Amino acid sequence: MGKRGSRSQSQLLNTLTKKQKKHLRDFGEEHPFYDRVSRKEAKPQICQLSESSDSSDSESDSESEPEQVSGYHRLLATLKNVSEEEEEDEEEEEEEDSIVDDAEMNDEDGGSNVSVEEEMAAESTESPENVALSADPEGKEDGEGPPGTSQTSPEEFTDAKHESLFSLETNFLEKESGDNSSLKASQDPFIQHVNKELKEKEIQAVATNPKTTHELKWPILGQLFFSSKFQKLETFKPPKDIDLKSLHLQKPLESTWTKTNSQFLSGPQKSSSPFTPLQKELFLIMNSYRDLFYPERTALKNGEEIRHVYCLHVINHILKANAQVLGNNSRRQSQKFGVGDDDDFRDQGLTRPKVLIVVPFREAALRVVQLFISLLEGDSKKKIIVSNKKRFQGEYGSDPEERPPNLKRPEDYEAVFVGNIDDHFRIGVAILQRSIRLYAPFYSSDILIASPLGLRTIIGGEGEKKRDFDFLSSIELLIIDQADIYLMQNWEHVLHLMNHMNLLPLDSHGVDFSRVRMWSLNNWSKYYRQTLLFGALQDAQINSVFNKYCVNMQGQVAVRNVPMTGSISHVLVQLPHVFQRMEAENLASVIDARFNFFVNKILPQYRDAVMSHTLIYIPSYFDFVHLRNYFKKEELNFTHICEYTQKSGVSRARHFFLQGEKQFLLFTERFHFYKRYTIKGIRNLIFYELPTYPHFYSEICNMLRATNRGEEATWTCTVLYSKYDAQRLAAVVGVERAAQMLQSNKNVHLFITGEK
């Protein structure tokens, strides 16, 4: 450094050639003028350049090759210049982690809803005022409820070592896999689906065609509604017996499925069929590539049974799709076809990811990957290759000691909040024959497993500089599991995801356009995408997503079984139930109509000190903020508990309510969902709106038993409802009674005689 300082800077600058200056600017090598250059040019470093080129996956490899773009100028007009993509490659890795961290700290972002909540909650003394979108906003509490969910990770790891091993472009079909004759069979539903060609007239007619619907009753699923906007609507009934060969399962699934699914089979059923009756009917619909909505998936009863069967469908789809690509690679290499047969090799989408599985927690992602391994491995002595397995188990597994041993909650709660319940994650999975690559970069993945929040932070929003949703452009199979839980997290994330499905990509990502299917180039991918939607309840918001965003040309199948009894039958206390009907002109005016009805008709009856110990159950956080502000304005004697209340605040509110120091307790549904505390001291119940989960109605009513002081005769329960609450009302009181209540304009009084 002493020698460098003694030399004249002007002389050095004059002696440097243009090449030396460019070398200095690009690579930052040591020169007499090094100190000054390093402060000005900190970005160019050899290590960063090598990392970028190594981890840019198939994109950077393909960018170095000339693209075959003839005949696709319309599509290329929507894409960025490839040179711009190369210039941004270095910055992508450097800014990726900061994007995830920033979005994770903001959670967190719920679009327009967040700003509304912040504005409405401005008068509150609770912290935080911004609405957290994590599954458990109070996860930092110790000893109560599940551990926190939105855990921030320092870096987002991606596997950059196995790119060539799992590349579809450079690999070929193994000899032991045969000539892929199963894919040539015209009866294979996969081949029939991807090779079916739609016409321009059919696509244009979808917007105007009325939806055709047929109703069928199946032995296990019950009432099914087959619907389609395309002209031909085919329905079918499940056969009594199923042969595995007739299902066209790809190797090795025929042998591994029976072993993997054995835990659900017993006795004569185990030998007669590899499926349970429920799995058989579900897989027949899945294998026909129709959209499916099944609203009776519960964590306690059939959750794992359903997870097994949709994982079988996913692996079967991926193995067939990849076998088709690898087989065509081999045929192209051997030059069996001439130059004019390029259309025979159209076997891909605009990007590689084909399957997206949306699950609420890391534990669910862990079980899905474990099923993938089991389905590919079976009981074979030859273990499959799983890269980064140890890291995956560490990040997605859980420590049983973290859970308090004395925590007692209902069985359904224990089944939902099991294992690692972090709700901010996303991971790419690549499958090539009998090998699995975990943490694959998205554009080198076949399957993406993510939570709505994990996808929201990478998709971004309008105006954000760094956002990416091109990986959703060629999704052929979308699975949304446990959809009801997203109602308790942030439903806006699901809507945001659906709005970005199957759009034309903004970048080319090194795609070989001669291998892309024509319906993908025509931006018709949404008509070929199969959507499988599983939840635990019938809800208007879930129904809306299925009806609006599922436009599969094969049609849609929805299970619509009506509840005959309702959750009110599980109320174990003697309690009069008064159902107060309110009127609203339309769906948009229901919120204001409910508030005015409550303030003018219901609340005056409870202002008297005699009507103390009144709990008001509020499903919507917006309604909670509205009521809380009104109670403050009117200076009513009340306390409140919501999902954002600190642990000390919850304890104080419960104590004041039990002792009668506070007349009213405002209580949100999300707090009950995540905590399931028993509130003591309730004498009067008001359901501001019917609960989202029907069994919450009986759970809240049964809380009156917690403090039995001979006051049963004074207990009351009031429920507000409108004609737009038909589904929730039927789930609580049963479909027949709900129909009578909706037809009548009178209030309904029910008295339930339960166990004392």
Side-chain angles (χ1 to χ4, degrees):
M1 294 296 295
K3 292 182 179 180
R4 294 178 188 174
S6 63
R7 301 179 62 178
S8 172
Q9 295 180 357
S10 59
Q11 292 178 355
L12 287 172
L13 200 58
N14 294 330
T15 57
L16 291 177
T17 64
K18 290 184 178 180
K19 290 184 178 180
Q20 288 176 324
K21 292 178 182 178
K22 185 178 184 300
H23 188 73
L24 173 67
R25 190 168 54 249
D26 292 341
F27 299 99
E29 292 183 347
E30 290 188 359
H31 282 335
F33 206 50
Y34 173 81
D35 291 340
R36 180 179 172 184
V37 173
S38 64
R39 288 193 299 267
K40 186 176 180 179
E41 295 266 343
K43 188 174 180 180
Q45 294 181 11
I46 298 176
C47 61
Q48 290 187 5
L49 288 173
S50 62
E51 285 179 4
S52 177
S53 60
D54 289 340
S55 60
S56 59
D57 312 311
S58 58
E59 300 175 33
S60 61
D61 294 339
S62 57
E63 287 165 4
S64 62
E65 300 176 0
E67 295 184 359
Q68 301 177 5
V69 295
S70 58
Y72 306 106
H73 299 312
R74 282 193 308 168
L75 179 65
L76 287 177
T78 67
L79 304 179
K80 291 182 178 180
N81 195 314
V82 178
S83 62
E84 296 177 358
E85 182 183 29
E86 292 175 347
E87 293 173 0
E88 294 177 2
D89 275 349
E90 292 183 15
E91 299 177 3
E92 287 181 359
E93 287 192 3
E94 296 173 1
E95 297 186 14
E96 183 179 5
D97 293 340
S98 62
I99 294 169
V100 175
D101 292 340
D102 292 343
E104 197 171 270
M105 289 171 63
N106 294 331
D107 195 308
E108 337 204 272
D109 195 6
S112 58
N113 283 357
V114 174
S115 60
V116 174
E117 292 184 0
E118 290 176 346
E119 183 178 352
M120 296 178 70
E123 300 178 12
S124 173
T125 58
E126 297 166 4
S127 178
E129 284 195 327
N130 61 313
V131 177
L133 306 181
S134 62
D136 187 5
E138 294 185 293
K140 55 187 176 183
E141 299 177 6
D142 295 327
E144 293 287 347
T149 52
S150 290
Q151 304 167 358
T152 58
S153 55
E155 293 183 357
E156 185 173 356
F157 171 76
T158 54
D159 177 17
K161 297 180 180 179
H162 304 89
E163 186 63 31
S164 60
L165 180 63
F166 286 86
S167 173
L168 288 180
E169 290 79 9
T170 58
N171 283 280
F172 304 94
L173 198 64
E174 293 181 354
K175 293 183 179 179
E176 63 182 26
S177 300
D179 60 353
N180 199 25
S181 58
S182 61
L183 292 179
K184 298 179 180 179
S186 59
Q187 297 84 5
D188 191 327
F190 169 81
I191 293 298
Q192 291 179 344
H193 180 65
V194 299
N195 287 350
K196 185 175 181 179
E197 296 183 3
L198 291 175
K199 298 180 180 179
E200 186 75 28
K201 294 181 180 179
E202 294 179 287
I203 299 298
Q204 295 175 351
V206 169
T208 57
N209 283 347
K211 182 177 287 188
T212 307
T213 304
H214 292 297
E215 183 178 353
L216 287 180
K217 187 171 183 179
W218 283 23
I220 305 299
L221 293 179
Q223 294 296 128
L224 299 186
F225 285 81
F226 289 77
S227 60
S228 177
K229 278 199 168 184
F230 290 85
Q231 292 182 354
K232 294 182 180 179
L233 176 60
E234 298 179 0
T235 61
F236 63 96
K237 292 184 178 181
K240 295 182 179 180
D241 299 321
I242 291 184
D243 183 12
L244 277 179
K245 294 182 179 179
S246 65
L247 298 177
H248 300 275
L249 295 180
Q250 191 77 353
K251 293 180 180 180
L253 297 180
E254 288 186 13
S255 59
T256 59
W257 168 247
T258 304
K259 171 73 174 179
T260 304
N261 200 48
S262 59
Q263 58 178 303
F264 303 109
L265 307 174
S266 59
Q269 181 186 6
K270 192 169 184 177
S271 57
S272 60
S273 173
F275 295 91
T276 65
L278 174 63
Q279 288 177 333
K280 179 179 70 173
E281 295 187 3
L282 288 175
F283 188 75
L284 284 172
I285 297 174
M286 295 178 189
N287 207 32
S288 67
Y289 282 90
R290 290 172 169 85
D291 294 331
L292 171 64
F293 174 37
Y294 182 70
E296 299 176 14
R297 182 243 191 254
T298 59
L300 267 180
K301 296 181 180 179
N302 55 17
E304 290 305 310
E305 192 177 347
I306 292 173
R307 198 195 313 275
H308 274 64
V309 75
Y310 75 62
C311 284
L312 171 66
H313 182 53
V314 167
I315 294 297
N316 191 40
H317 180 85
I318 292 299
L319 291 180
K320 288 181 179 180
N322 287 353
Q324 189 179 43
V325 174
L326 298 180
N328 285 340
N329 288 348
S330 301
R331 285 190 286 274
R332 291 188 73 178
Q333 188 185 41
S334 60
Q335 298 181 351
K336 290 183 178 180
F337 297 91
V339 179
D341 296 317
D342 283 348
D343 286 346
D344 294 332
F345 300 114
R346 296 192 179 277
D347 49 19
Q348 302 174 22
L350 290 167
T351 53
R352 179 170 174 177
K354 307 173 188 66
V355 177
L356 173 61
I357 303 177
V358 182
V359 288
F361 304 123
R362 284 181 182 257
E363 173 67 21
L366 175 67
R367 296 186 181 188
V368 167
V369 172
Q370 288 174 341
L371 278 173
F372 289 167
I373 297 173
S374 180
L375 286 169
L376 292 176
E377 197 170 71
D379 54 357
S380 174
K381 296 181 180 179
K382 184 180 179 181
K383 300 294 183 180
I384 65 172
I385 301 173
V386 182
S387 61
N388 306 303
K389 184 177 181 180
K390 186 176 180 180
R391 183 189 186 100
F392 174 74
Q393 291 175 339
E395 293 184 359
Y396 285 75
S398 61
D399 186 359
E401 297 180 358
E402 293 178 356
R403 193 174 186 84
N406 59 346
L407 188 64
K408 294 183 180 180
R409 294 290 184 269
E411 290 183 352
D412 66 294
Y413 179 94
E414 298 287 352
V416 170
F417 295 101
V418 63
N420 189 335
I421 58 170
D422 177 18
D423 70 339
H424 189 183
F425 62 91
R426 52 183 177 264
I427 185 172
V429 181
I431 296 177
L432 197 64
Q433 296 171 126
R434 294 182 63 85
S435 301
I436 297 180
R437 179 191 186 191
L438 302 177
Y439 295 98
F442 270 22
Y443 292 98
S444 300
S445 302
D446 297 302
I447 304 170
L448 308 178
I449 308 173
S451 65
L453 178 59
L455 290 170
R456 178 65 175 82
T457 54
I458 193 172
I459 292 174
E462 293 293 337
E464 295 183 17
K465 293 183 179 180
K466 281 294 180 180
R467 54 183 310 213
D468 186 12
F469 49 86
D470 287 357
F471 57 87
L472 301 173
S473 62
S474 298
I475 295 295
E476 301 168 0
L477 176 55
L478 170 64
I479 298 175
I480 302 178
D481 198 6
Q482 297 176 272
D484 53 289
I485 295 181
Y486 309 137
L487 295 172
M488 299 292 109
Q489 292 179 348
N490 193 326
W491 189 250
E492 291 296 325
H493 293 340
V494 178
L495 299 179
H496 193 71
L497 167 65
M498 299 305 296
N499 286 325
H500 289 82
M501 290 296 301
N502 298 114
L503 303 178
L504 283 176
L506 302 178
D507 295 319
S508 62
H509 300 286
V511 64
D512 181 359
F513 287 98
S514 67
R515 300 288 295 271
V516 179
R517 297 187 179 98
M518 290 305 302
W519 50 261
S520 186
L521 293 171
N522 291 331
N523 197 22
W524 294 349
S525 296
K526 63 181 180 180
Y527 301 111
Y528 288 80
R529 186 194 74 230
Q530 181 186 27
T531 304
L532 306 179
L533 189 58
F534 301 101
L537 49 87
Q538 295 271 10
D539 186 86
Q541 296 181 83
I542 302 177
N543 292 337
S544 175
V545 165
F546 186 74
N547 294 331
K548 180 179 179 180
Y549 295 101
C550 298
V551 290
N552 188 347
M553 65 174 178
Q554 301 290 355
Q556 293 74 44
V557 180
V559 179
R560 308 284 188 194
N561 293 320
V562 294
M564 300 307 296
T565 56
S567 62
I568 198 171
S569 61
H570 298 120
V571 176
L572 304 178
V573 296
Q574 292 184 350
L575 182 67
H577 303 258
V578 180
F579 288 81
Q580 299 267 12
R581 175 166 176 165
M582 61 173 200
E583 298 299 332
E585 296 181 359
N586 50 58
L587 187 59
S589 64
V590 169
I591 295 176
D592 292 333
R594 180 180 289 107
F595 176 78
N596 294 329
F597 184 84
F598 175 81
V599 169
N600 299 325
K601 299 291 182 66
I602 304 299
L603 190 58
Q605 305 173 23
Y606 291 85
R607 282 179 177 266
D608 197 308
V610 178
M611 304 296 289
S612 61
H613 297 271
T614 299
L615 183 142
I616 305 176
Y617 181 91
I618 312 170
S620 169
Y621 183 79
F622 299 103
D623 290 334
F624 163 78
V625 174
H626 200 179
L627 284 179
R628 185 194 62 197
N629 294 341
Y630 176 81
F631 275 46
K632 286 183 178 181
K633 181 180 178 181
E634 295 294 319
E635 297 183 351
L636 297 177
N637 184 24
F638 81 102
T639 185
H640 56 270
I641 298 176
C642 74
E643 53 269 31
Y644 309 117
T645 307
Q646 299 295 328
K647 185 178 179 180
S648 57
V650 173
S651 300
R652 286 194 302 269
R654 296 173 71 184
H655 173 75
F656 292 153
F657 184 71
L658 175 62
Q659 299 301 323
E661 298 180 27
K662 299 293 184 181
Q663 183 177 354
F664 296 98
L665 171 62
L666 303 184
F667 188 78
T668 65
E669 182 174 71
R670 282 185 68 188
F671 178 85
H672 182 66
F673 176 79
Y674 286 112
K675 297 301 181 183
R676 300 293 181 92
Y677 289 174
T678 298
I679 305 300
K680 297 181 180 181
I682 305 174
R683 297 179 189 174
N684 305 290
L685 264 178
I686 299 177
F687 285 91
Y688 188 77
E689 184 181 0
L690 286 161
T692 303
Y693 286 90
H695 64 277
F696 283 2
Y697 184 87
S698 57
E699 283 186 11
I700 299 296
C701 290
N702 290 331
M703 287 183 184
L704 276 71
R705 297 189 304 170
T707 51
N708 192 345
R709 300 173 181 175
E711 301 162 343
E712 295 91 334
T714 62
W715 288 349
T716 65
C717 178
T718 303
V719 185
L720 278 65
Y721 75 97
S722 70
K723 62 181 180 181
Y724 299 104
D725 298 322
Q727 286 183 328
R728 294 188 180 186
L729 185 63
V732 171
V733 301
V735 63
E736 294 182 0
R737 186 175 287 166
Q740 297 173 359
M741 294 168 63
L742 292 172
Q743 291 175 0
S744 174
N745 292 327
K746 298 180 180 179
N747 297 329
V748 178
H749 297 254
L750 302 175
F751 186 79
I752 304 300
T753 303
E755 301 176 1
K756 288 188 179 181

Short mmCIF file of all heavy atoms in Angstrom, two decimals, residues 599 602-611 630 634 636 663-664:
data_model
loop_
_atom_site.label_atom_id
_atom_site.label_comp_id
_atom_site.label_asym_id
_atom_site.label_seq_id
_atom_site.Cartn_x
_atom_site.Cartn_y
_atom_site.Cartn_z
N VAL A 599 -77.43 -2.42 17.11
CA VAL A 599 -77.40 -1.22 17.95
C VAL A 599 -78.81 -0.77 18.34
O VAL A 599 -79.06 -0.36 19.48
CB VAL A 599 -76.65 -0.09 17.22
CG1 VAL A 599 -76.83 1.24 17.95
CG2 VAL A 599 -75.18 -0.44 17.09
N ILE A 602 -81.05 -4.98 19.45
CA ILE A 602 -80.52 -5.99 20.37
C ILE A 602 -79.86 -5.35 21.59
O ILE A 602 -80.17 -5.69 22.73
CB ILE A 602 -79.51 -6.90 19.64
CG1 ILE A 602 -80.16 -7.54 18.41
CG2 ILE A 602 -78.98 -7.97 20.59
CD1 ILE A 602 -81.35 -8.41 18.72
N LEU A 603 -78.95 -4.42 21.37
CA LEU A 603 -78.17 -3.86 22.47
C LEU A 603 -79.02 -3.20 23.56
O LEU A 603 -78.71 -3.35 24.75
CB LEU A 603 -77.15 -2.88 21.91
CG LEU A 603 -76.09 -2.37 22.90
CD1 LEU A 603 -75.31 -3.53 23.50
CD2 LEU A 603 -75.14 -1.38 22.22
N PRO A 604 -80.09 -2.47 23.21
CA PRO A 604 -80.89 -1.86 24.28
C PRO A 604 -81.45 -2.87 25.28
O PRO A 604 -81.64 -2.54 26.46
CB PRO A 604 -82.03 -1.17 23.50
CG PRO A 604 -81.44 -0.85 22.17
CD PRO A 604 -80.53 -2.01 21.87
N GLN A 605 -81.67 -4.10 24.85
CA GLN A 605 -82.19 -5.12 25.77
C GLN A 605 -81.15 -5.57 26.79
O GLN A 605 -81.50 -6.13 27.83
CB GLN A 605 -82.67 -6.34 24.97
CG GLN A 605 -83.69 -6.03 23.89
CD GLN A 605 -84.00 -7.24 23.03
OE1 GLN A 605 -83.81 -8.39 23.46
NE2 GLN A 605 -84.47 -7.01 21.81
N TYR A 606 -79.87 -5.30 26.51
CA TYR A 606 -78.79 -5.78 27.37
C TYR A 606 -78.09 -4.66 28.12
O TYR A 606 -77.12 -4.90 28.83
CB TYR A 606 -77.76 -6.55 26.54
CG TYR A 606 -78.27 -7.87 26.01
CD1 TYR A 606 -78.99 -7.93 24.82
CD2 TYR A 606 -78.05 -9.06 26.71
CE1 TYR A 606 -79.47 -9.12 24.33
CE2 TYR A 606 -78.53 -10.27 26.23
CZ TYR A 606 -79.24 -10.28 25.04
OH TYR A 606 -79.71 -11.49 24.56
N ARG A 607 -78.56 -3.42 27.98
CA ARG A 607 -77.92 -2.31 28.67
C ARG A 607 -78.18 -2.34 30.17
O ARG A 607 -77.39 -1.81 30.95
CB ARG A 607 -78.40 -0.98 28.10
CG ARG A 607 -77.76 -0.61 26.77
CD ARG A 607 -78.31 0.72 26.27
NE ARG A 607 -77.68 1.15 25.04
CZ ARG A 607 -76.63 1.96 24.96
NH1 ARG A 607 -76.07 2.41 26.08
NH2 ARG A 607 -76.13 2.32 23.80
N ASP A 608 -79.28 -2.94 30.57
CA ASP A 608 -79.61 -3.02 31.99
C ASP A 608 -78.55 -3.82 32.73
O ASP A 608 -78.02 -4.80 32.23
CB ASP A 608 -80.98 -3.67 32.17
CG ASP A 608 -81.56 -3.40 33.55
OD1 ASP A 608 -80.84 -3.67 34.54
OD2 ASP A 608 -82.72 -2.94 33.64
N ALA A 609 -78.25 -3.40 33.96
CA ALA A 609 -77.22 -4.09 34.75
C ALA A 609 -77.61 -5.53 35.06
O ALA A 609 -76.75 -6.37 35.35
CB ALA A 609 -76.98 -3.32 36.05
N VAL A 610 -78.91 -5.82 35.00
CA VAL A 610 -79.35 -7.20 35.26
C VAL A 610 -78.79 -8.14 34.20
O VAL A 610 -78.51 -9.31 34.47
CB VAL A 610 -80.89 -7.26 35.29
CG1 VAL A 610 -81.37 -8.70 35.51
CG2 VAL A 610 -81.42 -6.34 36.37
N MET A 611 -78.64 -7.64 32.99
CA MET A 611 -78.13 -8.47 31.88
C MET A 611 -76.61 -8.38 31.82
O MET A 611 -76.01 -8.07 30.79
CB MET A 611 -78.75 -8.00 30.56
CG MET A 611 -80.26 -8.00 30.54
SD MET A 611 -80.95 -9.66 30.72
CE MET A 611 -80.54 -10.36 29.14
N TYR A 630 -67.67 1.75 18.76
CA TYR A 630 -68.99 2.23 19.17
C TYR A 630 -69.15 2.12 20.68
O TYR A 630 -69.68 3.04 21.32
CB TYR A 630 -70.08 1.42 18.46
CG TYR A 630 -71.48 1.79 18.90
CD1 TYR A 630 -72.12 2.91 18.37
CD2 TYR A 630 -72.15 1.03 19.85
CE1 TYR A 630 -73.40 3.26 18.77
CE2 TYR A 630 -73.43 1.37 20.27
CZ TYR A 630 -74.06 2.48 19.72
OH TYR A 630 -75.32 2.83 20.14
N GLU A 634 -69.89 5.22 23.25
CA GLU A 634 -71.05 5.24 24.14
C GLU A 634 -70.67 5.05 25.60
O GLU A 634 -71.55 5.05 26.47
CB GLU A 634 -72.04 4.14 23.71
CG GLU A 634 -72.65 4.34 22.34
CD GLU A 634 -73.54 5.56 22.28
OE1 GLU A 634 -74.29 5.80 23.25
OE2 GLU A 634 -73.48 6.28 21.26
N LEU A 636 -69.72 2.41 27.24
CA LEU A 636 -70.30 1.21 27.84
C LEU A 636 -69.24 0.48 28.65
O LEU A 636 -68.04 0.57 28.36
CB LEU A 636 -70.87 0.30 26.76
CG LEU A 636 -72.03 0.87 25.94
CD1 LEU A 636 -72.46 -0.11 24.86
CD2 LEU A 636 -73.22 1.22 26.84
N GLN A 663 -69.40 -5.51 32.02
CA GLN A 663 -70.69 -6.09 31.66
C GLN A 663 -70.63 -6.86 30.34
O GLN A 663 -71.25 -7.90 30.20
CB GLN A 663 -71.74 -4.98 31.56
CG GLN A 663 -73.15 -5.49 31.25
CD GLN A 663 -74.16 -4.36 31.22
OE1 GLN A 663 -73.83 -3.23 31.53
NE2 GLN A 663 -75.40 -4.66 30.85
N PHE A 664 -69.86 -6.35 29.37
CA PHE A 664 -69.79 -6.96 28.04
C PHE A 664 -68.37 -7.44 27.77
O PHE A 664 -67.39 -6.82 28.21
CB PHE A 664 -70.19 -5.96 26.96
CG PHE A 664 -71.62 -5.50 27.04
CD1 PHE A 664 -71.93 -4.29 27.64
CD2 PHE A 664 -72.64 -6.26 26.51
CE1 PHE A 664 -73.23 -3.84 27.72
CE2 PHE A 664 -73.95 -5.83 26.58
CZ PHE A 664 -74.25 -4.62 27.20
#
